[in-house]
Amino acid sequence: MSNVVQLQSFKSVATTGSVRSAALHLGLSPSAVSHHIKLLEQDTGLTLFQRQGRGLCLTDIGSAIMGEVDGMLESSSRLQQRITDLKDRRVNRLSISYFSSAGNRWMPELVLFLEHKHPHTGVQLSLAEGQWHESRSDIQIIITETKEPVLPPQVNSSFLLEDPYVVAVPEAHELASRSEVTLAELDRLPWIDNEQGDGPCRTILFDACARAGIRVQFKHEAHTFVAALHMVSRGLGITLLPRLGIDQLPEGVVIVPLAAPEPIRYVHAISDPGHPQQDVIDDAISALHELASDDAVAR
């Protein structure tokens, strides 16, 4: 199969539409880039580019393989980064990405645990939207729509928590004394949004509402759990959120469980089994299981 340099030239020409621009981007001569493209077309037996004015554009065949080329270049980049890490002996650092409610509840205790168990290991935290991404962090705490999500075979997945949604209502609201409430009963009440973008939490909630025959319409938009809960405390409406998203409940707010089938999000810890600090990763995931178990029992 063609080498990485040829694929880099292919992608750069496809992106810039010009051999000269691609050469400037890659720090190569135009003749070298042209040679790479020629070799690639000879190796594959395919015509990958065609003239368009004074530039080049992908043929239909070239467009068809672009996704696979991106995947190979990304895998090559991951391999090179791993080699660099091992050469530099950058083994005393663990990176963890997490979504906000997991960070509020679990990260301080997790880092404290690692500080005592592995005092020479630094922890790098990064906030993410809750979905798995290749090469993001050594450990990714993610949200999925099912307990057993389909993930690439090169990663390890550890189930941490089943996190059902609840509704937050003002304490004076007629629903505040209920032991549970259905989504259909919330249909005509003023809803307060507490999410930003189209992440997995919003998808899970919207899918459940669609199954219940509810068309979601927000009267107010807050985009964080904390802000939305404080708006509920002022009597401005209700908000639906996962239990894990409730760190400190504002005064004047009551949480009511949703009747089955309620929306549920599932929390997993994803890691790379080939990491040079596998013992640290194993200890961190064990600690996450304990923290998640404590949250489940507290309910």
Side-chain angles (χ1 to χ4, degrees):
M1 183 56 191
S2 306
N3 61 39
V4 172
V5 175
Q6 291 174 13
L7 296 179
Q8 288 173 334
S9 291
F10 168 80
K11 181 174 181 178
S12 190
V13 172
T15 302
T16 63
S18 162
V19 169
R20 184 173 297 278
S21 297
L24 288 173
H25 174 71
L26 295 171
L28 301 173
S29 66
S31 60
V33 172
S34 293
H35 184 61
H36 294 158
I37 299 301
K38 182 178 180 181
L39 288 177
L40 182 59
E41 291 187 327
Q42 287 178 348
D43 289 345
T44 60
L46 302 173
T47 301
L48 303 175
F49 291 95
Q50 60 188 6
R51 286 285 174 188
Q52 186 176 60
R54 301 179 64 181
L56 294 174
C57 68
L58 288 171
T59 62
D60 290 342
I61 291 174
S63 297
I65 68 169
M66 191 62 174
E68 283 74 14
V69 170
D70 282 336
M72 289 189 66
L73 289 175
E74 190 170 349
S75 295
S76 174
S77 177
R78 287 186 68 211
L79 174 61
Q80 187 57 51
Q81 185 61 53
R82 177 55 55 83
I83 292 171
T84 300
D85 287 347
L86 292 172
K87 281 184 176 180
D88 293 345
R89 304 304 298 169
R90 289 167 55 188
V91 296
N92 292 324
R93 183 194 64 178
L94 185 70
S95 60
I96 305 173
S97 63
Y98 61 93
F99 55 93
S100 58
S101 49
N104 295 339
R105 298 290 284 270
W106 298 341
M107 289 305 103
E109 294 300 325
L110 178 60
V111 176
L112 180 62
F113 165 79
L114 291 173
E115 174 72 14
H116 288 294
K117 187 72 180 287
H118 300 278
H120 300 296
T121 298
V123 179
Q124 177 186 354
L125 300 178
S126 60
L127 186 63
E129 71 270 23
Q131 294 174 302
W132 179 80
H133 289 275
E134 190 173 9
S135 304
R136 169 167 281 169
S137 300
D138 300 325
I139 297 176
Q140 298 181 47
I141 303 174
I142 69 165
I143 297 165
T144 65
E145 298 177 37
T146 63
K147 190 173 182 178
E148 297 180 357
V150 177
L151 292 166
Q154 72 267 24
V155 302
N156 285 338
S157 175
S158 298
F159 171 71
L160 297 178
L161 184 70
E162 182 177 295
D163 196 20
Y165 283 58
V166 295
V167 57
V169 302
E171 63 179 0
H173 197 278
E174 61 181 9
L175 295 177
S177 61
R178 294 276 296 276
S179 60
E180 63 180 19
V181 62
T182 65
L183 282 172
E185 291 178 279
L186 306 176
D187 191 14
R188 298 190 180 277
L189 300 179
W191 286 32
I192 302 170
D193 193 8
N194 55 43
E195 274 290 317
Q196 202 164 20
D198 295 316
C201 292
R202 186 186 293 275
T203 299
I204 291 167
L205 176 60
F206 278 36
D207 285 350
C209 289
R211 291 194 299 272
I214 296 174
R215 183 172 177 268
V216 179
Q217 291 182 309
F218 295 111
K219 182 174 183 180
H220 302 297
E221 297 182 8
H223 299 309
T224 69
F225 294 151
V226 173
L229 287 170
H230 280 283
M231 292 174 70
V232 173
S233 74
R234 304 302 194 272
L236 293 171
I238 65 168
T239 194
L240 282 79
L241 73 166
R243 281 189 179 274
L244 191 64
I246 305 169
D247 191 15
Q248 290 185 329
L249 197 62
E251 185 176 351
V253 177
V254 173
I255 295 301
V256 182
L258 290 172
E262 77 274 37
I264 298 175
R265 68 179 187 177
Y266 299 88
V267 183
H268 299 258
I270 309 299
S271 62
D272 182 352
H275 196 279
Q277 290 197 108
Q278 194 61 51
D279 59 332
V280 181
I281 287 180
D282 290 344
D283 286 341
I285 291 178
S286 293
L288 284 167
H289 276 290
E290 290 189 20
L291 290 165
S293 178
D294 288 345
D295 265 316
V297 170
R299 295 171 185 177

